Every structure is written in C-alpha cells, then in structure tokens.
Amino acid sequence: MPTLILVRHGRSTANTEGLLAGRTPGVALDERGTTQAAALPGRLAGLPISEVVTSPLQRCEETVRPLLDARPGLRAHTDERIGECDYGDWSGRKLAELKDEPLMEVVQAHPTAAAFPGGESMREMQHRAAEAVREWNARVERDHGADAVYLMCSHGDVIKSLVADALGLHLDLFQRISVEPCSITAIRYTRLRPFLVRLGDTGDFASLAPREESPGGDAPVGGGAGAP
C-alpha cells in the first residue's frame, strides 16, 4: 500500500495572532508561512509524489501552491474530510480566552468526550479523516501502484489524530503528539499495519531550544504556531 506524506500548513496569520482559526475563511499564511511553503519543493525533491490532496482552507492551498508550481504534472484534489476540525462557536476566538473554558480541560485530558459547541466532536474529526486516508490509499494504489507516494496537506489536530490512528493509539492520548507548521509526517501503509516513519519533521531544531516562557503541559489546540 502507498506511503502518505502529511504536511501541516505553513504558519498562518491566526497562529501568530493566537487565534483558533478553525474553518474561518480568509486565514492566510503569514510571512514565515509563505517562506516555509516556498521551501517545501526542495524538501520533497527526492520523492516521486503521485497525487496531492488538500484541505479546502486557504492556508493549505497556499502551502501546496509552490510544490504544484514546481511540478506542473501534479494537480491538487480537494477533500473536505481532511479539513480543519469544526470548532463551532470557538472558531476565531483567542486561545488565551479559551484556556479558562471548562471544555478545554476535557479537550486536553479526555478528547474522545470533547464536542465543540456548534461544531463537531474530536471523534468525528478523526473518523472522517481516517476514512479519507483509507479511500485515498486504495485509489492511489489502484492508479499508481503499491509503492506509490502521495501527499495530503491538512491541519494540526487532524494530522495528530491520523498519527494516533496509525499507531493504534487511543484518541485520548493524541495530545501527546506534536506537529509544527509545515512539518512533514510520513506513514507507510501495509496490508497488516501502518509504519510511522517520520513525525513532525521540519528540518529545524529551533523549537527544541529553551524558551523565555515555558509552554506548560497543555497541548496547543489547533496545533500551535511552532518555533518563535
């Protein structure tokens, strides 16, 4: 079965403003995110990518555009099932404000019980994304062979949930996974089991350096802004 390259979108204006963007339209890459996207073709130069699938949101489309420009034979397929989690009434709000919401504790400690007011549950998010991957695995293998490589550009929580699915990890533990903006995660699927062969690879270790303010023990909902 194919190898899936999961790319989180580059850093966005919402990331730098501390907003939980969700499905809010018009959220673009910021200057750093644009630079990250421009570097993506070089980072992936050695891979024979057969298909590109992207979330319908602007920040994902902008992330894959340089790759598509560098490979004229590729075109992007849009799949809403790998779109951002529907955070409902939380969408567009400051993460600093949401920190004190009682639901945030559930999101951190027991995400299988977390359903966003006016939006979807984290279980629903993982289910639709995993179903999309399984369908694309079959389609890519049919059209390009069992050793094919394809790419999906999606969002932090979605990618973390797909990694958890590949590892057989309960969704309640998925907040232990971290994927920074424009990071690359690779999952090689086989008939019996998936293999996680890359996780959150940015090629940059700056985010591991000590920070003036400790990030604390909570996972950044939506994926966070990455290294400063």
Side-chain angles (χ1 to χ4, degrees):
M1 295 178 70
T3 296
L4 170 60
I5 307 298
L6 287 162
V7 176
R8 185 184 168 200
H9 62 80
R11 196 173 75 175
S12 72
T13 53
N15 292 145
T16 47
E17 292 169 10
L19 300 175
L20 184 62
R23 298 180 179 182
T24 306
V27 176
L29 298 183
D30 69 4
E31 184 177 354
R32 179 172 180 173
T34 301
T35 300
Q36 290 171 332
L40 200 57
R43 294 169 64 197
L44 297 172
L47 290 177
I49 297 170
S50 58
E51 301 280 0
V52 172
V53 188
T54 181
S55 156
L57 292 172
Q58 178 179 338
R59 53 197 184 271
C60 286
E61 293 175 345
E62 290 178 350
T63 299
V64 299
R65 192 169 297 149
L67 177 65
L68 298 173
D69 289 344
R71 302 193 188 197
L74 276 179
R75 68 182 184 90
H77 307 270
T78 300
D79 194 325
E80 293 185 356
R81 294 174 297 176
I82 62 166
E84 179 64 287
C85 184
D86 185 355
Y87 297 115
D89 297 344
W90 279 25
S91 300
R93 292 181 60 188
K94 286 274 189 184
L95 287 164
E97 297 173 0
L98 293 170
K99 184 173 61 174
D100 297 325
E101 293 278 355
L103 178 60
M104 182 60 84
E105 187 177 8
V106 181
V107 170
Q108 292 292 327
H110 188 25
T112 51
F116 297 97
E120 68 179 337
S121 69
M122 287 194 149
R123 295 189 317 279
E124 291 168 330
M125 174 196 72
Q126 183 186 46
H127 176 74
R128 61 171 166 81
E131 285 300 302
V133 166
R134 287 172 173 81
E135 288 183 22
W136 276 101
N137 280 349
R139 177 173 171 174
V140 169
E141 181 173 6
R142 181 196 67 204
D143 294 344
H144 303 283
D147 295 326
V149 178
Y150 74 108
L151 181 147
M152 282 185 168
C153 185
S154 187
H155 306 267
D157 283 346
V158 175
I159 293 173
K160 287 161 57 177
S161 76
L162 289 171
V163 170
D165 176 76
L167 292 175
L169 193 69
H170 199 285
L171 186 62
D172 279 347
L173 302 178
F174 98 125
Q175 298 289 27
R176 302 183 182 196
I177 299 166
S178 175
V179 289
E180 292 196 6
C182 225
S183 63
I184 293 172
T185 294
I187 302 171
R188 180 173 295 126
Y189 289 88
T190 73
R191 186 173 63 86
L192 296 181
R193 65 182 62 84
F195 293 91
L196 179 66
V197 292
R198 292 289 188 280
L199 176 61
D201 187 345
T202 64
D204 180 0
F205 296 102
S207 63
L208 302 181
R211 303 187 190 181
E212 290 184 10
E213 294 184 10
S214 171
D218 285 347
V221 180

